[in-house]
Amino acid sequence: MLPADKLESLAARYREIEELLCQPNVVSDSKRYTGLTKERAELQEVVEAYNRYEQVTRDLAGHKAALSDPELKDLAAEEIPALEEERDQLVASINLLLLPKDPNDERNTILEIRSGTGGEEAALFAGDLFRMYSRYAEAQGWKVEVMSLSEASAGGIKEVIASIEGDNVYSRLRFEGGVHRVQRVPTTESQGRIHTSTATVAVLPEVDDVDEVNIDPNDLEIMTTAAGGPGGQHVNRTMSAVQIKHIPSGIMVRSEQQRSQHQNKAKALQILSAKLLEIEREAQASAISSERRSMVGSGERSEKIRTYNYPQNRITDHRIQLTLHNLDRVMEGELGDLFTALRSHHQAELMQEQSGDN
């Protein structure tokens, strides 16, 4: 069953927006025009699916009526199964499209990867993860900008913070936050023993405007230092790096990749704003009963979410009990199957939650 009243209301609003976008006073108001264009894009898929559902329903009723006509009944009987199948598929699609969307889904994202237990091997794994996400982002046409980078002596990464810009970045990456575990033989292991190491990933929706988060300047301790890194290659040695400490929360952020101190300060504030917004979101989520909280979307960074087993070319996502035997391709950025499974699981939970409310 479909909520006809809700769908009719959405369709009416879509038609209203189409008319508004043709009016000169709206076209000349760039802010309003942009807002309406965005709203139309958000409604378009569900409205088009609903319009097609209405058409299929009318066609189906006409064919069923034709069953009583001796001249048309054979043709009608032949067409009815395909129409019924399309109707059922449209119902399923529309119900998915009506699921509540995370308001952050269309935001750009700050990706933070830190090496965990395992020393240099953990740093190498953190570097592999960043390469994996960067490859995926490149395939999607997204822009990846490193905001802060701390390299390890063996060539891995102690910590990297990057901004990722593009279409629906957060909606794709939102389930990646947590502890990632790798099982493999390190290059330095002479006995061929498998070691287990970890890296943590945080995915934060980027704040469009720092003013979205109320930060008291008196709560900030701002320091400028020389940008640095192992070996000093590609490093700007002027006092352009900016480190900001948010005194009430103890959060420390740093940006050193930009050319000027002003740019690095702006980037550091952007990172800080995203972290504070995430703390607020997690506090709200923790107030929701465990029965109603999505296992995939819990955002618990301490949770071991995935294991990368190199000897068996196997990747396992523990939250949805999914195992794939294509780790080599996943590490090259082929994350589509994994992301689709995570999203489908999340949608199924939302639908179950909604049916429980009705």
Side-chain angles (χ1 to χ4, degrees):
M1 294 290 292
L2 290 174
D5 290 347
K6 181 175 182 178
L7 287 163
E8 288 290 351
S9 176
L10 294 176
R13 175 57 180 166
Y14 184 80
R15 292 191 295 270
E16 180 186 6
I17 292 171
E18 295 242 282
E19 293 175 4
L20 287 170
L21 289 173
C22 295
Q23 295 179 6
N25 62 318
V26 173
V27 174
S28 62
D29 185 341
S30 60
K31 186 174 181 179
R32 189 181 181 197
Y33 184 83
T34 301
L36 288 169
T37 301
K38 182 179 179 182
E39 186 182 354
R40 180 181 63 176
E42 291 171 351
L43 292 173
Q44 185 172 357
E45 191 173 3
V46 67
V47 169
E48 288 180 351
Y50 179 57
N51 288 340
R52 178 58 188 164
Y53 168 82
E54 291 280 271
Q55 182 62 54
V56 169
T57 302
R58 288 192 293 270
D59 291 347
L60 193 54
H63 280 71
K64 287 183 176 179
L67 290 174
S68 59
D69 187 327
E71 294 182 3
L72 297 175
K73 68 176 183 179
D74 289 343
L75 180 61
E78 186 179 335
E79 296 288 338
I80 285 173
L83 287 169
E84 288 180 331
E85 183 179 358
E86 184 179 1
R87 178 200 59 194
D88 294 344
Q89 289 175 347
L90 284 165
V91 168
S93 297
I94 291 168
N95 278 323
L96 281 178
L97 290 168
L98 289 174
L99 288 175
K101 292 180 173 60
D102 189 312
N104 295 315
D105 272 355
E106 295 183 11
R107 288 184 186 248
N108 295 323
T109 294
I110 292 176
L111 177 70
E112 183 179 272
I113 303 174
R114 285 194 178 95
S115 62
T117 57
E120 293 293 347
E121 173 63 14
L124 289 170
F125 178 50
D128 291 339
L129 288 177
F130 182 58
R131 178 176 176 272
M132 175 185 77
Y133 291 124
S134 297
R135 287 287 182 90
Y136 179 77
E138 182 182 357
Q140 305 307 308
W142 297 344
K143 177 186 175 184
V144 179
E145 179 186 1
V146 174
M147 303 172 80
S148 176
L149 174 66
S150 175
E151 296 174 299
S153 57
I157 291 175
K158 292 180 182 178
E159 177 189 86
V160 61
I161 300 175
S163 166
I164 305 181
E165 299 179 6
D167 293 334
N168 300 308
V169 176
Y170 183 75
S171 68
R172 302 274 188 90
L173 298 179
R174 59 182 294 191
F175 302 128
E176 292 303 289
V179 176
H180 296 239
R181 181 176 70 172
V182 64
Q183 295 172 329
R184 64 185 176 187
V185 180
T187 54
T188 55
E189 172 55 65
S190 59
Q191 303 298 318
R193 291 173 296 186
I194 296 173
H195 288 224
T196 299
S197 306
T198 64
T200 59
V201 174
V203 178
L204 311 175
E206 194 171 89
V207 178
D208 294 332
D209 185 344
V210 172
D211 291 338
E212 277 189 61
V213 182
N214 185 23
I215 301 176
D216 187 339
N218 295 321
D219 289 339
L220 301 180
E221 188 177 295
I222 302 176
M223 294 153 279
T224 57
T225 63
Q233 64 271 31
H234 321 303
V235 172
N236 176 5
R237 284 294 174 186
T238 61
M239 299 294 285
S240 62
V242 174
Q243 184 169 288
I244 299 178
K245 180 180 180 181
H246 184 248
I247 299 170
S249 66
I251 293 174
M252 188 91 72
V253 296
R254 178 182 173 87
S255 177
E256 62 180 26
Q257 299 297 310
Q258 304 302 312
R259 293 184 178 182
S260 74
Q261 190 180 112
H262 176 76
Q263 290 173 319
N264 278 319
K265 181 181 177 182
K267 289 292 183 182
L269 282 172
Q270 192 175 42
I271 298 170
L272 176 61
S273 298
K275 285 178 177 284
L276 292 174
L277 198 65
E278 178 70 1
I279 289 173
E280 183 179 326
R281 189 194 70 82
E282 288 181 350
Q284 292 171 349
S286 67
I288 302 172
S289 63
S290 59
E291 299 84 32
R292 293 174 60 84
R293 187 195 296 178
S294 165
M295 177 174 60
V296 171
S298 65
E300 294 293 337
R301 296 180 200 168
S302 61
E303 177 186 16
K304 179 187 70 180
I305 66 166
R306 193 175 298 148
T307 296
Y308 302 71
N309 186 301
Y310 275 71
Q312 298 179 20
N313 196 35
R314 169 171 55 82
I315 183 168
T316 301
D317 196 289
H318 304 289
R319 297 164 296 177
I320 59 175
Q321 289 76 53
L322 173 70
T323 297
L324 301 173
H325 293 277
N326 61 345
L327 176 59
D328 54 340
R329 296 202 301 274
V330 168
M331 298 310 293
E332 290 298 319
E334 295 183 24
L335 293 159
D337 290 345
L338 189 59
F339 286 179
T340 297
L342 287 163
R343 184 173 179 81
S344 296
H345 179 88
H346 179 60
Q347 289 174 334
E349 286 196 331
L350 286 176
M351 292 188 74
Q352 184 177 3
E353 182 179 306
Q354 284 211 323
S355 64
D357 289 341
N358 295 333

